[in-house]
Amino acid sequence: MEKVNVTIDGRTFEAVKDKCVLEVAHENGIYIPSLCYNSEVTSSGGSCRVCLVEAHQGGRMRLVTACNYPVRKGLEVKTDTPLVRRIRRGVLELLMARVPDSEVIREMAAAEGLTEVRFREDTGENERYKCIACALCTNVCAEVVGVYAISMINRGADKKPATPYLKPSDVCIGCGACAYACPTGAITLKEKDGVRRIWGKDFPMVRCSVCGTPYIPEAQVDWIVKRTGKDRSFFDKCPDHR
Amino acid sequence: MAPIDSIGGLEAYRRKLAEAAEAKADMPTVLVCFGTGCQANGAGPVAEAFRKVIDEQGLKLDVNLGIKTTGCHGYCENGPLVAIRPQDILYLKVKPEDVPEIVEETIKGGRTVERLVYRDKATDEVVARYSEIPFYKHQHRIALRHIGSIDPTDIDDYILAGGYAGLAKALAMDPEEIVSEVERSGLRGRGGAGFPAGTKWRSCLAVESDVRYVLCNGDEGDPGAFMDRSIMEGDPHSVIEGMIIGAFALGSHQGYIYVRDEYPLAVKNLSIALEAAREKGLLGENILGSGFSFDIKISRGGGAFVCGESSALMRSVAGEVGEPRAKYIRSVEKGLYDKPTVLNNVETWANVPEIILKGADWYASMGTEGSKGTKVFSLVGKVNNTGLVEVPMGISIRELVENIGGGVLGGKKFKAVQTGGPSGGCIPERLADLPIDFDSLTEAGSMMGSGGIIVMDEETCMVDVARYFTNFLVDESCGKCTPCRDGLPRILDLLTDITEGRGGEEHVALLEELCDLLTWGALCGLGTSAANPVLSTIKYFRDEYDAHIRDKKCPAGVCKALITYSIDPEACTGCRLCAKNCPQECITGKRKEAHVIDTSKCIKCGVCKDVCTFDAVRIS
């Protein structure tokens, strides 16, 4: 792998060419806030704009999203300039106005010294109460899980993830990857009496034959068996008792 | 007929068409505009009426008359347009019942029907000759070179007019030479950003790949802009020829024309043209026997404004949701299906054949230092002559509005022009001597965009204009990135507050802050330019913002919450016209006595002002 030298906030690091700025920064202990990016999901990133940093290259400066800007030779990144702080605060203020009840956003904003919103706050319909429409959930579902149970619908401020026609999905396996990946905890996943409820659909769970804990939806087992050819009996026990 | 299999064969075919045309040169020809505008105004029945009269009288008259249905002449406001050759007469607003008179007087008698020709609103001067009408006299048509004079569904018409000669010349050139020619011509992308076309081609050529794509952006979405539609409808072969030349230079074998589905006539005429070009051996396998193969598919878009953005367009062509992506890796490297791709706008492609045929020096001799050639503008709004005009770059806004546009409608005061569509900005009258080119418009806080020019008069409220365009962008934002998705609705909130009298001193500062956030923080061109309408109106018309905020007044008399209607008793003659038309029935007064508006019931619809013939209705 080709290595290049990249400078972040005055310190120079050797990094793999085309790796994203955010990861190179985090590997070297430089914090850049981010929401919509997950290093395991190549289609993620670029939408929340929280990780905007200054990229100086070829005599030109641009604000770029650190989560998908590739490091190349001679790149100099600044993560803490007045411009970066100003735009980051602006983005966070908009997000706070969108999802006033999200603790994650409030904390991230507080770290930038932002506690008050000067705009109309969204009252929010219940389902997008904390959703920042970053599409990480749909990207995870499509790219990592591979079932395409949810996708982004509508556009503009009404954009949100949903199952087709807002009906319980035929293909959802109830794995909950969307909920685990969501940066703001906007997707409700509830479990009760051995049944998981997500996206308006109930998924009976397999109980561990040792401890009796319901730990995986049956539909998810079906999917894994179908996709990998793994023996179904493997899922009789939960990871703790295998 | 068999496909033409050599460059010489094309020239021989053209000579044959020319001889046939020569033989008919003296015969009168009636050209009925079949652009979307004229068709909507009733061009179909007019053409039908001509056919009928000719059928009925044809043999008896012994006049062999050709009727052509052409593309848009650009002077849409006055449609249906009918041009008569060889006299070079243009008749405006022709109705089917005018047809017998035109046939009798003009075609048979060689006389002009005066009531149907252009009459200058200011001087009352009558102009019959097509090329002498002020709207056309000042134009210089390259991209629109054939539109209105050829039948877009007949490839022979295009070939007879010199079509595909640029391709023939290009096929004998070295691809490298073609790219250099386009570079030297100074042609910049007509879609809006004005990126030099040659530079784009060169960087695509530099990327190693066995597959490359050539794309045409026909997703024209700016309200009021219709030059691309006109070209695709009226001269589709010019776009196709340009793309074939580009593909040959770049070594591409597949192209796509992305057209919005709201342009059914463009889709139809392009499809006919593609099929005809294939039949003639000008498209498909082994073009003109050169060994080079290239074909074009039409990709129909669903009409999302954002799909005019290059990366969203490519996703849409590939069948994905039309959302932009970060262009940190350029589409000349990784574009459609991750292959090197050159995307140019309709008008850009239409210029290419002429540039190759007549040379880079010819093209570069027109225009300004940084913006060469001509540009098509759609001139609309409060101006006498609206329509499509093509002029050399560098013409001033004032020349465009006054000489070609015939000045502001109704003799009102010229206030501003809005250029570049919803992401453009407003330029005040005092800067109207600014030359129109890519750089000067950007410098003034607006942009060329696709070439929409909306003329505004003293009765246009600039805060309301900013609110209107922001509202459009709120609807069209794809919602992918935070600044655009959540910032634009907040900007709209603030602007609405101001226009409804709730604006405070802090509103303008907040607007500027949000605009700054959009400009720096948004993902694609739609978002980064979305602040232009707001910023440019704040910059040039701050007094209007202040009037709304401090005095709670709308100087232009537009913002309903801030105005009241009243009747000037001195001017009112008591004719009852306003009272009869008032939907609220809130105007009272006896005949021949001054009337009064009950403002508690008035909904400020403005009907009374519109119908009053004595100018007695006042807005304050």
Side-chain angles (χ1 to χ4, degrees):
Chain A
M1 267 186 283
E2 195 185 334
K3 299 266 182 114
V4 291
N5 277 339
V6 53
T7 307
I8 306 178
D9 292 343
R11 292 157 61 197
T12 301
F13 311 105
E14 194 179 56
V16 176
K17 183 177 173 247
D18 285 345
K19 197 169 200 175
C20 75
V21 167
L22 187 80
E23 288 193 19
V24 176
H26 285 187
E27 279 162 16
N28 292 288
I30 295 170
Y31 172 72
I32 300 170
S34 75
L35 289 162
C36 70
Y37 175 72
N38 183 313
S39 58
E40 302 305 314
V41 190
T42 56
S43 53
S44 71
S47 91
C48 74
R49 321 302 284 175
V50 166
C51 70
L52 283 166
V53 293
E54 281 183 22
H56 298 254
Q57 203 158 26
R60 188 171 161 220
M61 189 282 282
R62 286 196 287 176
L63 270 199
V64 301
T65 38
C67 65
N68 59 5
Y69 194 80
V71 297
R72 298 263 170 104
K73 198 177 152 210
L75 173 68
E76 190 188 352
V77 175
K78 293 181 183 171
T79 73
D80 196 18
T81 66
L83 174 67
V84 169
R85 304 295 290 228
R86 184 174 90 224
I87 302 303
R88 186 184 295 162
R89 276 175 63 108
V91 168
L92 286 166
E93 188 175 1
L94 287 177
L95 289 175
M96 270 175 90
R98 180 187 177 84
V99 288
D101 286 351
S102 165
E103 302 80 13
V104 177
I105 303 292
R106 272 215 307 270
E107 276 167 28
M108 200 175 263
E112 296 295 324
L114 192 69
T115 50
E116 292 286 319
V117 170
R118 294 165 297 168
F119 315 116
R120 170 180 58 85
E121 290 186 0
D122 273 357
T123 45
E125 320 154 31
N126 289 331
E127 53 195 321
R128 56 162 244 221
Y129 215 22
K130 293 181 180 174
C131 175
I132 57 164
C134 73
L136 184 52
C137 52
T138 60
N139 288 329
V140 165
C141 185
E143 184 191 316
V144 180
V145 188
V147 301
Y148 300 86
I150 47 172
S151 59
M152 299 303 287
I153 63 163
N154 304 335
R155 64 183 184 202
D158 298 326
K159 189 166 214 156
K160 62 177 181 183
T163 51
Y165 308 106
L166 305 173
K167 298 245 163 58
S169 158
D170 290 340
V171 298
C172 180
I173 57 170
C175 70
C178 51
Y180 303 132
C182 176
T184 56
I187 300 170
T188 338
L189 183 156
K190 278 183 185 151
E191 282 172 17
K192 199 184 166 195
D193 305 331
V195 175
R196 173 181 291 180
R197 189 166 179 81
I198 187 167
W199 293 110
K201 190 174 174 180
D202 291 326
F203 294 90
M205 312 272 287
V206 175
R207 285 178 191 274
C208 172
S209 60
V210 180
C211 64
T213 312
Y215 82 96
I216 187 170
E218 284 167 11
Q220 187 179 357
V221 174
D222 294 344
W223 175 255
I224 298 171
V225 168
K226 195 175 125 199
R227 284 282 289 249
T228 63
K230 207 171 219 1
D231 197 87
R232 184 170 287 273
S233 61
F234 175 82
F235 297 98
D236 289 347
K237 294 174 192 162
C238 73
D240 290 347
H241 296 103
R242 271 175 206 153
Chain B
M1 77 170 253
I4 303 169
D5 59 2
S6 68
I7 291 169
L10 176 67
E11 290 315 315
Y13 185 70
R14 198 193 314 280
R15 274 197 302 279
K16 208 178 83 189
L17 292 175
E19 279 160 23
E22 185 66 28
K24 291 198 284 184
D26 294 334
M27 287 177 195
T29 307
V30 177
L31 300 154
V32 181
C33 174
F34 253 46
T36 295
C38 282
Q39 287 209 41
N41 275 327
V46 171
E48 210 36 62
F50 272 108
R51 285 209 182 87
K52 202 167 144 232
V53 174
I54 288 151
D55 279 349
E56 284 168 5
Q57 306 188 359
L59 292 167
K60 214 167 37 183
L61 284 170
D62 199 28
V63 173
N64 192 353
L65 189 81
I67 298 187
K68 282 176 194 285
T69 47
T70 68
C72 179
H73 294 242
Y75 205 9
C76 305
E77 190 209 353
N78 284 304
L81 303 172
V82 174
I84 314 277
R85 287 184 189 160
Q87 292 98 323
D88 186 35
I89 291 173
L90 184 69
Y91 287 133
L92 314 175
K93 295 186 179 167
V94 177
K95 295 189 181 63
E97 51 269 32
D98 299 326
V99 169
E101 189 182 347
I102 295 175
V103 171
E104 205 58 39
E105 288 294 308
T106 311
I107 294 166
K108 285 154 75 179
R111 293 178 296 272
T112 306
V113 182
E114 285 227 351
R115 64 180 181 85
L116 293 173
V117 300
Y118 175 82
R119 185 180 292 272
D120 194 289
K121 280 173 190 159
T123 62
D124 216 33
E125 190 192 346
V126 170
V127 188
R129 284 178 73 89
Y130 197 129
S131 49
E132 292 297 313
I133 295 174
F135 181 74
Y136 290 108
K137 199 165 74 179
H138 301 282
Q139 293 198 38
H140 187 95
R141 295 187 152 204
I142 298 172
L144 304 178
R145 58 194 176 276
H146 300 130
I147 298 177
S149 63
I150 65 165
D151 178 348
T153 60
D154 185 354
I155 191 170
D156 285 352
D157 253 25
Y158 183 71
I159 294 175
L160 178 62
Y164 289 104
L167 172 65
K169 188 176 173 190
L171 289 174
M173 286 164 78
D174 186 52
E176 168 68 27
E177 225 183 310
I178 299 172
V179 176
S180 300
E181 202 67 7
V182 175
E183 272 177 332
R184 285 203 308 116
S185 75
L187 175 68
R188 292 171 68 169
R190 264 42 179 166
F195 191 81
T199 311
K200 192 187 270 185
W201 292 22
R202 166 98 42 220
S203 25
C204 182
L205 206 54
V207 181
E208 270 195 42
S209 177
D210 49 346
V211 178
R212 276 173 232 279
Y213 294 107
V214 167
L215 264 54
C216 172
N217 187 346
D219 190 67
E220 187 174 47
D222 292 359
F226 52 104
M227 60 285 289
D228 293 346
R229 191 194 74 208
S230 264
I231 295 172
M232 290 187 287
E233 287 176 359
D235 192 14
H237 285 287
S238 66
V239 180
I240 295 167
E241 186 184 353
M243 287 179 74
I244 305 172
I245 294 170
F248 178 69
L250 296 161
S252 164
H253 301 293
Q254 183 63 55
Y256 293 88
I257 303 177
Y258 188 82
V259 198
R260 47 179 37 216
D261 221 20
E262 294 99 317
Y263 285 0
L265 187 59
V267 173
K268 185 179 152 208
N269 287 359
L270 278 168
S271 305
I272 293 171
L274 287 172
E275 198 42 52
R278 279 187 207 109
E279 274 172 24
K280 287 272 186 289
L282 294 159
L283 187 68
E285 293 291 317
N286 193 16
I287 292 170
L288 289 178
S290 65
F292 170 67
S293 301
F294 172 70
D295 211 336
I296 297 174
K297 279 186 195 155
I298 293 176
S299 181
R300 293 183 300 170
F305 182 67
V306 74
C307 285
E309 195 278 341
S310 63
S311 61
L313 184 147
M314 288 175 204
R315 287 185 55 140
S316 182
V317 170
E320 294 172 56
V321 174
E323 259 183 13
R325 63 163 174 85
K327 287 192 277 189
Y328 302 142
I329 295 168
R330 299 167 304 162
S331 40
V332 288
E333 293 172 46
K334 270 187 170 188
L336 182 63
Y337 301 119
D338 284 343
K339 298 292 180 190
T341 302
V342 162
L343 170 71
N344 281 128
N345 158 274
V346 169
E347 193 188 328
T348 316
W349 285 122
N351 274 302
V352 169
E354 285 293 279
I355 290 173
I356 296 302
L357 192 63
K358 297 187 175 163
D361 294 330
W362 164 78
Y363 194 78
S365 70
M366 292 169 283
T368 62
E369 185 61 36
S371 306
K372 299 298 184 192
T374 57
K375 174 79 190 92
V376 184
F377 294 99
S378 56
L379 187 61
V380 295
K382 308 274 187 72
V383 63
N384 278 311
N385 306 326
T386 60
L388 281 190
V389 298
E390 183 169 355
V391 287
M393 291 274 193
I395 186 175
S396 74
I397 293 171
R398 201 181 299 283
E399 279 174 275
L400 193 62
V401 172
E402 285 173 7
N403 296 351
I404 297 176
V408 175
L409 211 55
K412 297 234 165 68
K413 213 173 134 218
F414 174 27
K415 182 172 181 177
V417 289
Q418 202 278 351
T419 75
S423 343
C426 294
I427 296 171
E429 185 273 339
R430 68 186 152 85
L431 295 181
D433 293 312
L434 198 74
I436 305 179
D437 67 19
F438 287 106
D439 309 313
S440 62
L441 287 181
T442 308
E443 216 170 285
S446 184
M447 61 190 233
M448 178 75 84
S450 54
I453 303 264
I454 303 172
V455 180
M456 296 166 174
D457 67 11
E458 55 198 315
E459 289 178 1
T460 311
C461 167
M462 302 316 282
V463 186
D464 186 59
V465 165
R467 197 194 55 81
Y468 170 83
F469 283 112
T470 306
N471 190 41
F472 176 88
L473 293 165
V474 166
D475 280 346
E476 293 297 341
S477 166
C478 83
K480 181 167 177 167
C481 77
T482 308
C484 181
R485 180 192 63 225
D486 291 324
L488 281 170
R490 266 71 195 182
I491 291 179
L492 183 62
D493 280 352
L494 294 168
L495 290 169
T496 307
D497 278 354
I498 295 173
T499 57
E500 292 181 357
R502 295 187 303 271
E505 293 290 335
E506 70 289 353
H507 273 54
V508 174
L510 259 180
L511 278 173
E512 284 173 326
E513 218 180 294
L514 282 168
C515 288
D516 170 64
L517 177 59
L518 268 170
T519 311
W520 281 105
L523 168 63
C524 80
L526 192 152
T528 54
S529 61
N532 286 344
V534 183
L535 287 178
S536 64
T537 47
I538 292 178
K539 181 174 172 188
Y540 296 120
F541 300 96
R542 180 64 191 253
D543 53 329
E544 285 193 39
Y545 279 84
D546 289 343
H548 283 76
I549 293 169
R550 286 183 201 152
D551 313 330
K552 306 294 174 205
K553 280 190 175 133
C554 174
V558 172
C559 297
K560 280 189 184 172
L562 304 179
I563 56 172
T564 48
Y565 282 82
S566 61
I567 294 172
D568 180 355
E570 299 290 309
C572 179
T573 62
C575 74
R576 306 264 325 130
L577 196 57
C578 57
K580 274 185 208 155
N581 283 284
C582 175
Q584 287 295 92
E585 299 180 348
C586 66
I587 302 177
T588 50
K590 289 191 182 126
R591 179 169 291 280
K592 294 192 179 167
E593 280 175 24
H595 289 19
V596 179
I597 299 174
D598 177 354
T599 49
S600 68
K601 287 189 195 152
C602 175
I603 55 167
K604 300 165 188 175
C605 66
V607 166
C608 51
K609 187 170 166 59
D610 290 344
V611 298
C612 181
T613 43
F614 303 99
D615 197 21
V617 179
R618 303 272 182 268
I619 298 174
S620 55

